[in-house]
Amino acid sequence: KTGRDTRVTLDGAFEEFIQEKEANGLSKSTIRNYKQSYEMFYRYSEFDNNTLIDDIEIRMIYKWTTHMRENEVRPQSINHYLRDLRTFFNWCADNERIQEPLKIKEVKAQDELMKMYPDEDIPALLVKPQPGDSYPTWRTWAMLSMAYSLGIRAGSLCNMTIDDIDFTGNEVWIMKQKNKHNSAVPLTPSLANVLREYIKKWLGDEPKTSLLFQNENGNPLTVNALDQIGRAHV
């Protein structure tokens, strides 16, 4: 489009986008989601405050999406981030910050960890236990909440430690089983509340173990045990 300013930075465009959304009265949670998705893409791509909006290409989105899939980020979460970015870049096109919107497509959602549960059963499975319920009941609640929120593999879930939960940075560090590589995924407020309650009730302020989940003898859970827990709740 003629007369378009080609010197607009990525940061500048996003700041203007957020300012407009705030002025239009979008909820704080929606604004926070936009910022979180943007920050994840920004950090992965190693942009800086000199990066121009015109420097952004669809192949960068593809590369980031592949990275998230390889690091076992749940497809539903990936699509959430992609939708946020698509909204931003559509805004950029509508406001002549870029010539055309980026054609960002969502990935096919396949929730392998939760496929054994019918959709209508999910809300019941995630209901908070009663104070007097047993440790296995609370553990199952916390584990299913993590599986549903993050879509991580059973092996990663069994090996999760307390230190892998970063409440300050709102991240969960997940070990990728194939290469023992750690990657960070966002920790949602609802999942953070679940884990705080679980840790406080069963692990305490000074846990005797670094394991987030364990069997009743204090040993690590196995993938087979996790599978049996899941089937017991079908």
Side-chain angles (χ1 to χ4, degrees), residues 128-145:
K128 179 182 174 181
Q130 297 298 314
D133 285 340
S134 65
Y135 168 68
T137 299
W138 279 80
R139 180 192 61 199
T140 299
W141 172 62
M143 294 185 78
L144 289 176
S145 296

Side-chain angles (χ1 to χ4, degrees), residues 103-154:
K103 296 181 179 179
I104 301 176
K105 297 180 180 180
E106 297 180 21
V107 302
K108 183 177 180 181
Q110 294 179 335
D111 193 346
E112 295 182 358
L113 274 178
M114 301 299 289
K115 66 183 179 182
M116 66 180 68
Y117 304 111
D119 291 342
E120 60 269 21
D121 289 348
I122 299 300
L125 291 168
L126 301 181
V127 171
K128 179 182 174 181
Q130 297 298 314
D133 285 340
S134 65
Y135 168 68
T137 299
W138 279 80
R139 180 192 61 199
T140 299
W141 172 62
M143 294 185 78
L144 289 176
S145 296
M146 289 198 76
Y148 186 68
S149 177
L150 305 177
I152 62 178
R153 294 182 182 276

Side-chain angles (χ1 to χ4, degrees), residues 32-231:
R32 183 171 60 248
N33 286 339
Y34 282 140
K35 290 182 177 179
Q36 183 183 55
S37 299
Y38 175 79
E39 179 65 20
M40 288 181 61
F41 175 57
Y42 192 96
R43 284 190 299 172
Y44 169 74
S45 303
E46 298 184 345
F47 297 136
D48 58 34
N49 55 14
N50 293 316
T51 301
L52 299 177
I53 189 68
D54 276 348
D55 292 339
I56 309 304
E57 301 175 352
I58 191 63
R59 64 179 179 83
M60 298 177 179
I61 306 293
Y62 293 153
K63 186 177 179 181
W64 178 49
T65 301
T66 299
H67 168 77
M68 288 191 288
R69 296 191 70 144
E70 289 178 347
N71 285 276
E72 303 171 11
V73 177
R74 187 170 175 242
Q76 286 86 342
S77 297
I78 295 175
N79 287 336
H80 168 78
Y81 308 140
L82 294 177
R83 284 193 295 271
D84 285 347
L85 282 186
R86 185 167 59 200
T87 299
F88 167 55
F89 286 114
N90 284 345
W91 177 92
C92 288
D94 291 341
N95 290 272
E96 299 188 356
R97 301 300 183 269
I98 56 178
Q99 288 188 341
E100 296 179 353
L102 298 180
K103 296 181 179 179
I104 301 176
K105 297 180 180 180
E106 297 180 21
V107 302
K108 183 177 180 181
Q110 294 179 335
D111 193 346
E112 295 182 358
L113 274 178
M114 301 299 289
K115 66 183 179 182
M116 66 180 68
Y117 304 111
D119 291 342
E120 60 269 21
D121 289 348
I122 299 300
L125 291 168
L126 301 181
V127 171
K128 179 182 174 181
Q130 297 298 314
D133 285 340
S134 65
Y135 168 68
T137 299
W138 279 80
R139 180 192 61 199
T140 299
W141 172 62
M143 294 185 78
L144 289 176
S145 296
M146 289 198 76
Y148 186 68
S149 177
L150 305 177
I152 62 178
R153 294 182 182 276
S156 298
L157 195 57
C158 290
N159 292 322
M160 191 72 62
T161 69
I162 298 172
D163 291 338
D164 291 329
I165 313 301
D166 182 0
F167 291 109
T168 302
N170 294 318
E171 293 179 327
V172 178
W173 287 89
I174 299 174
M175 178 178 288
K176 186 178 178 184
Q177 295 300 299
K178 291 182 180 180
N179 57 15
K180 305 301 181 182
H181 219 32
N182 284 353
S183 62
V185 297
L187 173 63
T188 64
S190 58
L191 180 57
N193 289 336
V194 168
L195 294 176
R196 282 194 181 97
E197 290 204 51
Y198 165 76
I199 292 172
K200 180 179 180 180
K201 182 171 180 62
W202 293 105
L203 302 180
D205 296 330
E206 298 181 0
K208 297 180 180 180
T209 176
S210 62
L211 289 172
L212 187 60
F213 305 114
Q214 53 192 305
N215 63 26
E216 292 181 281
N217 295 321
N219 297 318
L221 286 171
T222 64
V223 173
N224 181 58
L226 182 58
D227 181 63
Q228 292 178 0
I229 289 171
R231 295 182 186 283

